Amino acid sequence: MGAAGSKLEKALGDQFPEGERYFGLENFGNTCYCNSVLQALYFCAPFREQLLEYYANSKNIGDAEENLLTCLADLFTQISSQKKKTGVIAPKRFVQRLKKQNELFRSYMHQDAHEFLNFLLNELVDILEKEAQAVKSEPETSSPPEKTANGPKHAQANGVSKEPLVTWVHKNFQGILTNETRCLQCETVTARDETFFDLSLDIEQNSSITSCLKNFSSTETLNAEDKFFCDKCCSLQEAQKRMKIKKPPHILVIHLKRFKYIEQLGRYKKLSYRVVFPLELKLSNTVEDADIEYSLFAVVVHVGSGPNHGHYVSLVKSHNHWLFFDDENVEMIDESAVQTFFGSAQEYSSNTDHGYILFYESIGASNNKS
């Protein structure tokens, strides 16, 4: 491990970024799904900064009870405050807490990295929301209501519905989709908004992220038994439905649906399709039709031919260098090596290392507004 670390330091030489740390994570028996996602999140700069800031502030409050958020913050703090520039850290407390919290991750079986990411982000939001509620309900007796500084800015309407709290997790990852349905009889458009932390895209052989996003937003006709109940016509009608991105997130997480249930086989199969993901992505299927540019900074890769076994590794861009994280091992890779993880153009290929979760950060501060 030490040798690998010193090798990485030698490779970067005097280009080693000031104050940065590159640490591998120990595997506790099939915890690569967790390690690969944690590395991607650690190198998501705004998320890391806000998590470390949260941790520094919460330490002053006293001994808060341990939860997944404190364990993650503790792990990130541990990595960022290491004296050495490279090495290995055991995320033991975090993994123990994860298993305690969710029985899904308790076994030593192969787990899904996307399920873990989803669970983690939602869990962090729940914890932050509960903390904000606790802070709000405490000073009620002694201080006027307008003093609840960290709570939602919007007052409670009719004392029942309240504006949901926007946490720093939301500010980084949350986007808004709008589901538009147009009745073909009366032309009325019904729009329904929904929030998302990541986009799950169906994939096709020899395609690209751009074409997968186009398919995601393509118009679908609802007819026969799928007719839409139109409120204006007060009856079932043929309609056209489409999904658009109303508010693009600051960090766009794209999950490629590589595991597909095959009816005839009665099980899931891994799709090793070649799906090109660019280093710079233009997002054009937005409501405003304004192109938003994103830059790729991390890829979680599934290694293996099937869904129930295999391994996860991650590729991370840090200070214009690409790094390859495989549990305890960290090495530098060339930017051109990223394209070897697009997938296989042939059905049966010896290459089983395929991009599975992509992390893009928006370029420019225009949509970094809170």
Side-chain angles (χ1 to χ4, degrees):
M1 251 71 88
S6 57
K7 197 173 152 191
L8 179 63
E9 284 182 57
K10 276 197 190 98
L12 281 161
D14 54 8
Q15 285 193 307
F16 202 104
E18 184 66 40
E20 194 54 273
R21 297 290 176 265
Y22 298 129
F23 274 71
L25 295 172
E26 202 178 306
N27 189 324
F28 292 99
N30 266 353
T31 54
C32 56
Y33 69 92
C34 173
N35 290 348
S36 56
V37 168
L38 291 179
Q39 294 290 12
L41 289 175
Y42 186 81
F43 290 97
C44 174
F47 176 77
R48 187 210 309 188
E49 281 162 23
Q50 283 152 349
L51 181 63
L52 295 178
E53 189 184 321
Y54 163 84
Y55 189 66
N57 293 340
S58 66
K59 274 207 315 210
N60 308 335
I61 299 166
D63 288 336
E65 66 168 292
E66 183 186 279
N67 56 39
L68 217 50
L69 176 58
T70 60
C71 289
L72 183 67
D74 186 53
L75 175 65
F76 278 23
T77 303
Q78 219 185 323
I79 297 171
S80 65
S81 57
Q82 288 291 319
K83 285 191 170 66
K84 283 181 162 180
K85 292 179 178 179
T86 58
V88 178
I89 275 183
K92 199 169 183 182
R93 266 182 69 201
F94 179 84
V95 171
Q96 280 174 341
R97 185 74 220 178
L98 174 69
K99 290 184 175 188
K100 195 174 173 182
Q101 205 91 5
N102 190 330
E103 60 188 47
L104 183 72
F105 303 110
R106 254 171 239 169
S107 76
Y108 285 95
M109 281 169 62
H110 182 68
Q111 303 290 350
D112 188 294
H114 176 246
E115 277 179 20
F116 165 64
L117 174 65
N118 230 305
F119 169 73
L120 179 60
L121 293 181
N122 283 296
E123 187 64 25
L124 298 186
V125 163
D126 283 353
I127 295 165
L128 289 169
E129 284 175 346
K130 278 184 191 133
E131 284 181 4
Q133 282 304 110
V135 168
K136 269 188 77 181
S137 54
E138 266 172 24
E140 284 288 277
T141 47
S142 56
S143 64
E146 64 264 26
K147 285 259 171 84
T148 54
N150 299 328
K153 294 187 189 91
H154 304 266
Q156 249 169 272
N158 310 328
V160 184
S161 65
K162 62 180 190 300
E163 194 73 20
L165 177 74
V166 178
T167 68
W168 44 267
V169 178
H170 289 111
K171 285 179 185 177
N172 283 309
F173 294 99
Q174 185 172 272
I176 299 171
L177 286 172
T178 188
N179 201 331
E180 292 178 354
T181 312
R182 179 190 298 275
C183 171
L184 295 179
Q185 179 65 34
C186 68
E187 296 286 316
T188 302
V189 176
T190 310
R192 198 183 78 245
D193 288 352
E194 54 190 81
T195 58
F196 67 92
F197 278 150
D198 63 59
L199 292 179
S200 286
L201 303 182
D202 287 310
I203 60 172
E204 289 172 355
Q205 179 56 289
N206 289 318
S207 59
S208 66
I209 291 299
T210 308
S211 65
C212 293
L213 282 164
K214 275 205 179 88
N215 288 344
F216 179 80
S217 290
S218 63
T219 303
E220 178 192 348
T221 302
L222 305 174
N223 53 21
E225 63 266 25
D226 289 331
K227 279 183 181 173
F228 165 75
F229 185 85
C230 174
D231 288 337
K232 196 168 182 191
C233 299
C234 291
S235 59
L236 290 169
Q237 295 292 345
E238 288 195 357
Q240 281 183 335
K241 181 181 154 189
R242 67 173 302 186
M243 202 73 115
K244 272 184 161 184
I245 296 170
K246 184 175 180 179
K247 180 183 179 288
H250 179 58
I251 305 293
L252 175 65
V253 179
I254 293 175
H255 160 237
L256 302 180
K257 289 156 97 171
R258 287 204 177 270
F259 303 117
K260 188 179 183 183
Y261 189 75
I262 310 293
E263 286 286 344
Q264 301 91 304
L265 301 174
R267 61 179 168 83
Y268 281 89
K269 176 183 187 252
K270 182 180 176 185
L271 305 176
S272 59
Y273 299 162
R274 179 179 157 86
V275 181
V276 175
F277 46 88
L279 298 173
E280 307 291 328
L281 174 72
K282 270 198 171 77
L283 196 64
S284 52
N285 57 337
T286 58
V287 171
E288 278 80 24
D289 283 329
D291 279 4
I292 291 167
E293 287 193 48
Y294 284 91
S295 179
L296 184 72
F297 71 88
V299 182
V300 170
V301 172
H302 180 268
V303 180
S305 54
N308 302 317
H309 54 84
H311 184 52
Y312 286 104
V313 296
S314 47
L315 317 172
V316 162
K317 188 182 185 183
S318 168
H319 303 271
N320 292 322
H321 297 288
W322 278 91
L323 298 153
F324 177 79
F325 287 85
D326 179 355
D327 289 331
E328 293 92 344
N329 300 312
V330 188
E331 55 190 75
M332 223 176 128
I333 56 166
D334 203 63
E335 186 173 82
S336 61
V338 174
Q339 62 195 23
T340 61
F341 299 93
F342 288 165
S344 318
Q346 288 85 32
E347 173 80 31
Y348 299 103
S349 161
S350 56
N351 173 16
T352 62
D353 306 8
H354 309 126
Y356 182 48
I357 312 171
L358 313 171
F359 293 77
Y360 283 93
E361 182 172 8
S362 70
I363 302 170
S366 60
N367 80 324
N368 197 11
K369 295 189 286 251
S370 57

